[in-house]
Amino acid sequence: MLSLAEFVVWVVGVSVLVFRSAFEAYRLTNTTFLIIEVDDIYSEHPYIYAKLVPEADTILLLDTGCGSASSDRTVEITSLRAFLERVPVAENGGRPINDGARMRYVVALSHCHYDHILGVEQFACDSPVLQSAHSPAFVARDALPANSLCTALGIRTPQFASILVPHNTMLTSVSGVPLGMTLLHTPGHTPDEVALWDAHDLMLYVGDTVYEWEPIIFPAQGNISVWFATIDQLEAVVMSSRLPEAVRINCGHRTVTRPALEVLRAARQFVSDILTGNVEVRWRRWRRGEWHVDYRQEGGQFSVRCPERLVEEARHQRRLSI
Ligand SMILES: [Zn+2]
């Protein structure tokens, strides 16, 4: 029989054990959670989203994080799947998000960069993995080591099969039950970038297309002109909803549940100011065979880092279209 003091020590000890996880989860809506990989060795802190669809017995997962490579070597739960199925979440009534592993998964990848796909093998073994069908060559198995940036980082590229999904597809469970989410092709950051649109909850999930307070990074395969078209498309999706001002945007890093129209319009204005020469280059560095530049808005809400070539190409494109 434990004394009260011993019982408290036991409970605290168990709680500490239970919560030593590479992830934290927060409820965004009745059915949606934000999962943050809090201390990954790459300092990416990716934002992962889980939408629970009980009528389909399915969790729709957007992205899988950095594969649980945590800077904290004392962390015990390092697998995203183990976190979902075993770690109690305070904002889920103290239960794991997928308590008892009762629900199946459908995994959508916002794009193939390493910080979004390194955990995918935990799910690909028994769950469908969805990627954009916009540019099959970009996500092909032989191109993935370079395009995921795994080669540049000297890390192993995950091996997984995926289903390439057309633009504007309503996602369903394996058994065909609607998941209440539409997948949109949103190239620009990368050719395979996608957004998910939840018209019921008025939530837009945009991956790395845009976020605040950290540099929006365009890799060598990015395209700023295409990015503008994507921002226009996303704004049109929001404007066609039943309550545009109420739509919230949720991003691959840092930005969550912010007013979508405000963020999209402000980001477009900042990048437009870069093209018109109204933003000074903060630094210019030679990397991987070309000049890279960094622009930062006063106050730091938006910043952009990319090969200078992409800015020049977008300026040229803009001149052609005037
Ligand atoms: Zn990315």
Side-chain angles (χ1 to χ4, degrees), residues 111 113 115-116 189 208:
H111 62 300
H113 279 159
D115 51 324
H116 305 265
H189 172 66
D208 282 4

Side-chain angles (χ1 to χ4, degrees), residues 122-145:
Q122 300 160 28
F123 302 92
C125 52
D126 61 1
S127 313
V129 176
L130 313 180
Q131 290 186 284
S132 170
H134 181 70
S135 179
F138 189 78
V139 295
R141 183 164 288 200
D142 59 341
L144 198 58

